[in-house]
Amino acid sequence: MAISAGDKLPEATLLRMGEKDPERVSLGDLTKNRKVAIFAVPGAYTPTCHSTHVPGFIRVIEGLKAKGVDNVICISVNDPFVMESWGKATGADAAGISMLADADSSFTKAIGMEFDAPPKGLLARSKRYSMIVEDGIVSILHAEESPGTCEISSGEMLLEEVN
């Protein structure tokens, strides 16, 4: 069953690149006593993710911060090396978006957001969504019906709704 607004995020350990090697990061630590925007994509460098979803959050990050969002996090079922490279390639890194890898898709599965699209080579991937998490509790959740669209999960849509 998929996570919903009002639910507490499960504890999860994700990966990001440190100075030389991948490092583990607790999602609970990143959301404790904070207001955080999280968005997930089916895959780094995939068309909609690369040309629409990430650029939208780059455009609205300052507006989200002005509304009290402490951090913006992008999660994908990729390895941390790919996420680091993709963050640099899109400008997400420079904009201040934390690019986190759910390498084994354990977090994605725990919140019920996994999907497979074998014809496109996508297995155990994340559905496209965005959420606001306040002290570990999901207050806003926008999940797309199709992973190829980025409408209700866009940065602009989240910015409109966040208080």
Side-chain angles (χ1 to χ4, degrees), residues 9-92:
L9 284 182
E11 183 50 48
T13 301
L14 302 170
L15 297 169
R16 68 176 167 211
M17 285 305 296
E19 287 188 34
K20 293 183 181 180
D21 294 309
E23 60 186 25
R24 297 165 63 85
V25 60
S26 163
L27 191 57
D29 289 347
L30 293 177
T31 60
K32 185 176 183 179
N33 299 319
R34 302 181 82 199
K35 184 184 220 179
V36 178
I38 297 174
F39 69 103
V41 299
Y45 293 102
T46 57
T48 304
C49 307
H50 189 75
S51 64
T52 305
H53 212 174
V54 169
F57 274 90
I58 292 170
R59 284 191 299 274
V60 303
I61 192 168
E62 292 307 318
L64 289 168
K65 288 182 177 182
K67 290 186 172 189
V69 171
D70 298 300
N71 194 11
V72 176
I73 298 169
C74 175
I75 297 174
S76 184
V77 179
N78 286 108
D79 66 67
F81 300 96
V82 167
M83 292 302 285
E84 178 187 45
S85 176
W86 190 41
K88 289 178 182 175
T90 58

Side-chain angles (χ1 to χ4, degrees), residues 3-9 31 34-40 57 64 67-69 107 111 113 128-144 151-163:
I3 197 161
S4 300
D7 291 347
K8 181 170 179 48
L9 284 182
T31 60
R34 302 181 82 199
K35 184 184 220 179
V36 178
I38 297 174
F39 69 103
F57 274 90
L64 289 168
K67 290 186 172 189
V69 171
F107 172 69
I111 63 169
M113 289 292 186
R128 185 180 310 283
Y129 64 85
S130 63
M131 63 173 71
I132 295 292
V133 177
E134 298 181 63
D135 194 22
I137 307 294
V138 178
S139 59
I140 299 170
L141 176 64
H142 295 153
E144 299 288 352
E151 296 166 359
I152 64 170
S153 66
S154 71
E156 292 84 358
M157 184 68 80
L158 198 61
L159 178 61
E160 283 182 30
E161 199 169 325
V162 71
N163 295 323

